[in-house]
């Protein structure tokens, strides 16, 4: 049996997470190929479930658990996490791979549901342990608040999972109720757990660099209090009373204001910082900030009822929005942070591979939104499915190169 305490470092965990992301991209490419050719041996619905569930647990949650545990424990990239985290992260990764295989083979069935339930139970254990460890003085108060809010939303998001399980067990086929449960899970995962965890890690890095952002309390509380009301933007088919709609619009506006204040307070401080991130990390952070700004603007537009109902009924735009959050914002930030704290090695091959990956992500987003907007306008643009397959292939190539770069000796890139 492998002694995780001695042999697997934070760097190793991040490389394993990147391998998971490669499998996510490969399954995405396979789905694109399924649109272009028959591939009768593959069930598209099963593949979609495997792709999405594994992306959340095997890549994003895995990476965030590793990086947060390292932050709260003060663990370096070449050091081992405390054994309680090593075992927990290993169990989560194994359960995620169990979901990948079982969903691919059977869709929603006994084994896939067991694996999904196990990941939820492990997330609860992680939340409890990490909440206690955030009390350590190694974290400043602002970082602590972001991380604890992330843990709260991680647990809250599981309510959607259990409600969906209840609907399926009771044979309730109301599609709107099922979508309400699915979007509850999605919202509090990517707008709660993922976003707040990334913000907590970023504030932790800022404090380690001696950089203090302006109005940190306002920015945090604006996002914290508005996270729950903005969920209602995800279910436009529900007829909200006027008072609730007013709160939801106000929450969306508050997030836009807080995001603007947060962005405005940082550039000058980062420019004046002597040991700036390497160019690749800086580029990823800029890309993340641009993507997050677009996301905030789109969220504001979704407060218009007629537009929201139209858009949410059109699959390419919904998929584009989800990929904007999960790839262009969360994934690129995790990559940037991993480079900044040296959880991923920076060398020439890693930089080139990251540029290839980012190119694939941008191309994927542009094509998805082009497909969505053209569809809404009744304009047919041929060959977009082929171009989307190429975009997925580019991401696969970039990730394969990035993993390779972590196991070869090349000249390091200076900051």
């Amino acid at each position: 049996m492998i002694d995780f305490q001695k042999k697997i470092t934070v760097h190793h965990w991040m490389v394993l997470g990147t391998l998971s992301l490669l499998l996510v991209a490969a399954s995405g490419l396979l789905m694109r190929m399924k649109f272009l050719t028959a591939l009768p041996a593959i069930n598209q619905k099963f593949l979609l479930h495997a792709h999405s569930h594994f992306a959340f647990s095997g890549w994003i949650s895995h990476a965030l658990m590793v990086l947060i545990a390292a932050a709260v424990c003060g663990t370096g990239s070449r050091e081992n996490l405390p054994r309680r985290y090593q075992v927990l992260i290993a169990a989560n990764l194994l359960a995620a791979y169990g979901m990948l295989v079982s969903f691919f083979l059977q869709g929603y069935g006994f084994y896939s549901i067991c694996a999904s339930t196990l990941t939820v139970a492990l997330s609860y254990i992680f939340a409890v342990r990490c909440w206690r460890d955030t009390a350590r003085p190694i974290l400043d108060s602002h970082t602590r608040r972001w991380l604890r809010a992330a843990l709260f939303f991680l647990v809250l998001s599981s309510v959607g999972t259990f409600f969906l399980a209840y609907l399926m067990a009771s044979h309730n086929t109301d599609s709107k109720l099922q979508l309400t449960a699915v979007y509850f899970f999605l919202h509090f995962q990517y707008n709660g757990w993922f976003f707040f965890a990334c913000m907590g890690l970023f504030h932790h890095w800022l404090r380690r660099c001696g950089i203090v952002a302006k109005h940190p309390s306002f920015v945090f509380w604006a996002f914290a209090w508005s996270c729950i009301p903005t969920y209602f933007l995800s279910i436009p088919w529900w007829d909200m009373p006027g008072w609730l709609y007013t709160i939801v619009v106000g929450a969306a506006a508050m997030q836009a204001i807080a995001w603007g204040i947060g962005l405005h307070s940082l550039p000058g401080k980062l420019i004046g910082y002597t040991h700036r991130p390497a160019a690749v990390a800086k580029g990823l952070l800029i890309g993340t900030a641009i993507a997050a700004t677009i996301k905030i603007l789109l969220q504001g537009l979704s407060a218009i009822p007629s537009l929201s109902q139209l858009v949410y009924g059109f699959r390419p735009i919904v998929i584009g929005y989800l990929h904007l959050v999960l790839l262009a914002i969360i994934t690129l930030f995790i990559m940037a942070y991993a480079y900044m704290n040296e959880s991923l090695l920076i060398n020439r091959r890693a930089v080139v591979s990251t540029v290839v990956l980012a190119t694939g992500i941008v191309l994927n987003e542009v094509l998805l939104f082009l497909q969505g907007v053209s569809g809404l306008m009744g304009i047919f643009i041929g060959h977009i499915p082929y171009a989307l397959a190429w975009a997925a292939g580019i991401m696969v190539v970039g990730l394969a190169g990035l993993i390779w770069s972590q196991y070869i000796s090349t000249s390091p890139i200076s900051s």
Side-chain angles (χ1 to χ4, degrees):
M1 181 178 179
I2 296 177
D3 188 346
F4 296 114
Q5 180 66 24
K6 296 180 179 179
K7 294 188 177 182
I8 300 187
T9 65
V10 172
H11 167 69
H12 291 138
W13 282 126
M14 285 306 300
V15 174
L16 286 172
T18 308
L19 174 61
S20 296
L21 180 57
L22 172 61
L23 293 177
V24 172
S27 62
L29 174 60
L30 192 57
M31 282 193 291
R32 292 300 174 193
M33 295 303 297
K34 178 73 174 174
F35 281 113
L36 303 178
T37 184
L39 298 178
I42 297 176
N43 185 302
Q44 178 77 348
K45 188 174 181 180
F46 291 178
L47 179 58
L48 173 61
H49 288 316
H51 170 80
S52 58
H53 283 80
F54 188 67
F56 276 62
S57 296
W59 161 236
I60 298 179
S61 286
H62 167 80
L64 291 177
M65 285 180 178
V66 171
L67 296 175
I68 290 174
V72 300
C73 297
T75 306
S77 61
R78 297 298 180 273
E79 298 175 345
N80 311 114
L81 291 167
R83 191 174 186 84
R84 63 184 181 278
Y85 284 113
Q86 297 278 66
V87 174
L88 185 58
I89 290 170
N92 177 76
L93 195 57
L94 288 174
Y97 274 89
M99 282 199 297
L100 177 66
V101 174
S102 56
F103 272 113
F104 179 77
L105 295 176
Q106 66 173 181
Y108 273 99
F110 176 78
Y111 295 107
S112 58
I113 291 175
C114 286
S116 301
T117 303
L118 180 57
T119 60
V120 173
L122 292 170
S123 72
Y124 288 172
I125 298 172
F126 175 82
V128 171
R129 288 181 176 176
C130 195
W131 185 285
R132 293 172 180 171
D133 287 337
T134 56
R136 295 183 175 186
I138 192 174
L139 298 181
D140 65 279
S141 59
H142 299 301
T143 300
R144 184 178 299 112
R145 285 190 297 195
W146 283 105
L147 293 182
R148 285 188 168 182
L151 298 172
F152 168 77
F153 289 121
L154 170 61
V155 173
L156 180 63
S157 68
S158 65
V159 174
T161 303
F162 289 125
F163 184 57
L164 180 62
Y166 166 75
L167 293 175
M168 296 178 67
S170 60
H171 304 289
N172 189 322
T173 58
D174 188 329
S175 60
K176 289 186 177 180
L177 271 181
Q178 291 181 356
L179 283 176
T180 298
V182 170
Y183 283 135
F184 187 96
F185 171 78
L186 291 175
H187 174 80
F188 289 109
Q189 281 275 303
Y190 63 73
N191 284 323
W193 160 230
F194 297 163
F195 176 76
F196 281 79
C198 289
M199 290 292 284
L201 291 171
F202 186 59
H203 275 75
H204 181 60
W205 179 81
L206 289 176
R207 283 304 178 110
R208 284 168 52 198
C209 298
I211 300 174
V212 180
K214 293 181 180 178
H215 313 295
S217 295
F218 171 77
V219 173
F220 168 77
W221 287 113
F223 277 101
W225 287 113
S226 61
C227 188
I228 292 178
T230 51
Y231 160 67
F232 293 99
L233 294 175
S234 302
I235 49 173
W237 55 82
W238 189 59
D239 188 16
M240 286 185 286
W243 64 269
L244 180 57
Y245 178 73
T246 302
I247 293 175
V248 171
V249 172
M254 185 63 69
Q255 286 194 359
I257 293 171
W259 181 249
I261 291 175
L263 285 181
H264 183 264
S265 68
L266 285 177
K269 296 179 182 295
L270 290 176
I271 291 174
Y273 175 57
T274 304
H275 303 287
R276 293 187 295 274
V280 62
K282 183 178 180 181
L284 290 175
L285 286 178
I286 292 173
T288 299
I290 293 173
T293 302
I294 294 173
K295 183 260 183 187
I296 293 287
L297 293 175
L298 291 176
Q299 179 178 270
L301 290 175
S302 69
I304 303 173
S306 57
L307 180 61
S308 180
Q309 292 179 9
L310 179 65
V311 167
Y312 271 90
F314 209 76
R315 183 177 177 81
I317 293 183
V318 174
I319 295 175
Y321 181 80
L322 289 174
H323 282 78
L324 173 69
V325 176
L326 301 176
L327 287 178
I329 299 176
I330 305 301
T331 292
L332 291 188
F333 172 82
I334 290 174
M335 291 288 183
Y337 184 85
Y339 282 134
M340 290 189 296
N341 76 347
E342 300 180 342
S343 297
L344 289 176
L345 304 178
I346 301 179
N347 52 54
R348 287 184 174 83
R349 202 167 264 112
V351 171
V352 172
S353 299
T354 303
V355 171
V356 172
L357 170 63
T359 300
I361 290 174
V362 172
L363 180 60
N364 184 69
E365 286 305 309
V366 172
L367 290 170
L368 283 172
F369 279 106
L370 180 62
Q371 185 182 47
V373 173
S374 64
L376 287 174
M377 298 175 64
I379 301 173
F380 174 75
I381 301 178
H383 305 299
I384 284 186
Y386 291 93
L388 284 168
W390 274 102
I394 291 172
M395 284 187 274
V396 169
V397 171
L399 286 165
L402 178 57
I403 294 171
W404 183 26
S405 73
Q406 302 302 297
Y407 292 100
I408 60 175
S409 178
T410 58
S411 302
I413 299 293
S414 63
S415 300

